[in-house]
Amino acid sequence: MDPNPGTHALPDRCDFTVFGGTGDLALRKLLPALYHRDLEGQLPADHRILGVSMSDLDDAGWRSAVRAALVEHVDPTDLYDGAVDRFLARLFHLRLDANEPGDWDRFHSLLKDRPHPEEAVRVFYLAVAPALFGAFCRRLDEIGVVDDRARVVLEKPIGHDLESAREVNDAVGQVFAEHQIFRIDHYLGKESVQNLLVTRFANTFLEPLWNSHWVDHVQITVAETVGVGGRGAYYDHAGALRDMVQNHLLQLLCLVAMEPPTYVGRETVRDEKVKVLQALRPMSPADVDTDTVRGRYEAGLVDGEPVPSYADDLGHAGSRTETFVALKTEVQNWRWAGVPFYLRTGKRMDRRVSEIVVVFKEPPHSMFPGAEGVTAPNRLHILVQPDEGMRLHLTAKEPGPGGYRLRPVSLDLSYATAFDARLPDAYERLLMDVMKGNPTLFMRRDEVEAAWTWTEPILRRWASSSERPKRYPAGTTGPTAAATLLERDGRTWQETDQ
Ligand code: BG6
């Protein structure tokens, strides 16, 4: 039993180190997130942020790079001179070449060079290439800065298959205990994703319907309009299945399908999620052929602007990497037996939208003459982004005499309207949770490995197949085979606003 479910206190003193402190993630996401929390008065007074990178910057140089990043990535209405200056004063930079023992000694000295160094909780955020995770942890151990309260934060990808994920987990696990390891899946920090748990379990009306008796199928879509941009080198080794499905989409699926935990605690939610991953129908090679679709974008128009093909973005042809995946799976347990879960994600799609659609069964009997073909099954759209909220599609009577004319209508809940407040970025919640030592919204080792166990047969089959990803023009909903995947089951993808 969790001794203190829900109570995780902020430490009074903290040294938050970002390895990769001048990188894109640090400047675009981590530092703006920490700034916002500081603005809300949530960072401990005695809190330093240490940037470590290969750059030759001194503290002043890093502070001005971070100032520029805040101007670029924080809403101007949230930028106050005093608050920015106070935040920047917490920042220190160290140039570190990971192969130079002397540089690690200097890092050690930097951690010691503060009042009460032994009392500060140390967070090591590894925003570096995943191949370096093990080596960085070993170095931290060797220089003696890892104590019982220290935490390490890892960005995905954790490995590129099950074996490599185990190697990373083993290497990190030799230095940090599991409760000290925070594996980020930033989707879990999104407000709308956290709200999924609340919607399901702080209300009663959905639960009796949330099963194979009433749910026909579930669709999970994460569509992006961006291409691979400057990340081609990473992306071409990963592809959409590793980059998005193995983590973000499976995590969303877990939150939709999981059983209610007894309470929201550091292990209870993760215990339930891992059961869902373990219950996913394993894919045989024949299943991969029938139940998955891979695509790759060609040149096209996104928001009316011409955009290049994946090969042009990459700078060479000949890659077999997918930028789109659609697949069908099933959660083989009592609640969900026989209910298909359709997942789809892609880059350079017609619009940016992440949503979960729960499609309910048709009424068992149609009692309104002439209504056949007019009514649609009830659908609950859970809108993850960009317009967070929920939409329930119902059938209603059109007002006026002349019998029952039925029409589709919707009940809309927009979080922006319901709560007149800024929705914090996912990293704000997650970084605070790291400092508080609350791992609920982070991926546990067994979750990551269960997700790879399910994903790996797909990767293997694709690697051995002579078939290439199907082409789709940028700015569309993906290859036609993705539509066929549902049509052959008598279903269609539910696009928002339909
Ligand atoms: C990242 C992927 O994890 O998530 C990117 O590596 C993707 O390829 C991004 O673009 C999407 O995140 P969001 O929050 O913009 O939906």
Side-chain angles (χ1 to χ4, degrees):
M1 174 90 176
D2 192 333
N4 285 312
T7 59
H8 298 90
L10 261 179
D12 292 335
R13 301 192 159 84
C14 183
D15 274 349
F16 191 105
T17 302
V18 184
F19 288 96
T22 52
D24 176 67
L25 179 71
L27 295 178
R28 197 166 45 87
K29 289 287 183 186
L30 307 182
L31 289 148
L34 289 168
Y35 168 75
H36 271 294
R37 291 302 95 205
D38 196 20
L39 188 60
E40 298 290 330
Q42 287 185 340
L43 290 194
D46 189 359
H47 180 100
R48 295 192 303 176
I49 301 170
L50 313 176
V52 176
S53 78
M54 293 282 284
S55 310
D56 260 329
L57 294 175
D58 56 10
D59 295 339
W62 194 46
R63 286 174 187 171
S64 62
V66 173
R67 184 189 291 276
L70 295 182
V71 169
E72 191 177 345
H73 301 295
V74 173
D75 190 304
T77 56
D78 288 327
L79 285 177
Y80 305 97
D81 286 346
V84 171
D85 290 343
R86 187 187 62 196
F87 178 70
L88 294 179
R90 298 175 180 277
L91 269 52
F92 302 87
H93 184 266
L94 179 81
R95 182 188 188 282
L96 178 137
D97 176 342
N99 296 317
E100 285 296 327
D103 286 0
W104 286 99
D105 290 342
R106 270 189 284 284
F107 178 58
H108 182 239
S109 307
L110 181 59
L111 286 178
K112 296 280 175 194
D113 183 20
R114 56 135 47 241
H116 313 288
E118 64 296 337
E119 288 174 20
V121 167
R122 292 178 184 147
V123 174
F124 304 110
Y125 197 118
L126 303 188
V128 296
L132 299 175
F133 288 168
F136 270 57
C137 289
R138 270 195 306 281
R139 289 291 198 180
L140 292 169
D141 195 26
E142 279 161 16
I143 62 170
V145 295
V146 178
D147 58 21
D148 289 349
R149 292 179 314 152
R151 284 140 213 183
V152 66
V153 189
L154 309 178
E155 272 288 332
K156 70 166 241 292
I158 312 287
H160 55 270
D161 57 13
L162 179 59
E163 191 187 337
S164 55
R166 282 190 176 138
E167 280 166 15
V168 171
N169 284 331
D170 284 345
V172 176
Q174 274 168 15
V175 177
F176 292 92
E178 181 62 27
H179 73 269
Q180 297 176 287
I181 304 173
F182 289 73
R183 298 177 192 83
I184 287 217
D185 182 316
H186 76 281
Y187 265 61
L188 294 176
K190 289 184 189 277
E191 283 291 332
S192 46
V193 175
Q194 293 173 55
N195 200 37
L196 192 49
L197 275 190
V198 179
T199 302
R200 283 194 58 197
F201 301 131
N203 298 289
T204 51
F205 76 107
L206 282 175
E207 179 57 19
L209 307 175
W210 211 254
N211 54 54
S212 62
H213 297 297
W214 297 104
V215 173
D216 179 75
H217 71 280
V218 177
Q219 302 183 5
I220 301 178
T221 297
V222 178
E224 299 181 274
T225 49
V226 293
V228 290
R231 296 167 75 227
Y234 150 75
Y235 193 88
D236 202 45
H237 279 105
L241 190 72
R242 289 188 177 94
D243 186 50
M244 298 294 288
V245 178
Q246 188 269 349
N247 34 75
H248 305 324
L249 276 90
L250 287 186
Q251 287 292 326
L252 294 179
L253 185 155
C254 285
L255 294 173
V256 173
M258 66 185 254
E259 296 301 318
T262 317
Y263 58 90
V264 174
R266 53 174 64 214
E267 301 305 340
T268 51
V269 174
R270 306 197 294 179
D271 286 344
E272 295 305 332
K273 283 195 298 162
V274 81
K275 287 183 206 162
V276 174
L277 292 168
Q278 288 162 349
L280 288 176
R281 176 170 57 84
M283 290 237 190
S284 69
D287 294 335
V288 176
D289 293 346
T290 54
D291 291 350
T292 71
V293 173
R294 311 175 260 170
R296 155 108 50 85
Y297 64 82
E298 294 295 321
L301 286 179
V302 173
D303 293 333
E305 295 292 323
V307 293
S309 66
Y310 178 66
D312 285 340
D313 270 343
L314 213 56
H316 64 85
S319 158
R320 294 175 53 129
T321 301
E322 79 287 353
T323 62
F324 175 96
V325 178
L327 60 84
K328 172 181 168 181
T329 185
E330 192 187 323
V331 180
Q332 294 182 312
N333 64 16
W334 191 284
R335 184 190 285 265
W336 294 114
V339 177
F341 283 71
Y342 299 98
L343 274 46
R344 125 183 110 149
T345 184
K347 298 228 181 263
R348 289 279 193 235
M349 310 270 292
D350 57 338
R351 55 189 154 167
R352 174 173 183 255
V353 59
S354 298
E355 70 171 344
I356 298 159
V357 186
V358 180
V359 182
F360 293 92
K361 293 193 169 164
E362 300 267 7
H365 165 68
S366 174
M367 54 181 263
F368 299 99
E372 299 80 7
V374 175
T375 60
N378 294 138
R379 293 175 342 247
L380 178 65
H381 287 238
I382 299 165
L383 309 168
V384 174
Q385 61 189 25
D387 301 316
E388 294 86 348
M390 255 186 281
R391 184 169 300 147
L392 179 61
H393 289 266
L394 304 164
T395 300
K397 177 187 175 299
E398 194 177 296
Y404 286 96
R405 290 189 305 277
L406 305 189
R407 292 285 176 267
V409 290
S410 65
L411 273 175
D412 286 301
L413 169 68
S414 149
Y415 294 145
T417 316
F419 303 97
D420 187 18
R422 183 186 74 92
L423 288 186
D425 184 75
Y427 278 96
E428 294 180 42
R429 165 74 197 258
L430 295 175
L431 299 186
M432 294 310 289
D433 279 355
V434 172
M435 284 181 250
K436 291 175 180 170
N438 178 4
T440 311
L441 297 180
F442 296 80
M443 292 185 295
R444 210 167 55 191
R445 174 176 184 151
D446 53 354
E447 279 184 86
V448 174
E449 294 183 5
W452 278 123
T453 302
W454 180 79
T455 311
E456 220 177 47
I458 308 176
L459 292 168
R460 274 205 300 271
R461 179 65 180 171
W462 285 355
S464 68
S465 154
S466 56
E467 212 177 294
R468 287 174 171 266
K470 299 188 167 23
R471 293 149 184 245
Y472 62 95
T476 64
T477 53
T480 47
T484 315
L485 181 73
L486 270 73
E487 279 161 15
R488 65 166 201 228
D489 295 343
R491 302 182 172 110
T492 51
W493 290 105
Q494 304 290 333
E495 313 294 354
T496 315
D497 299 325
Q498 269 187 0

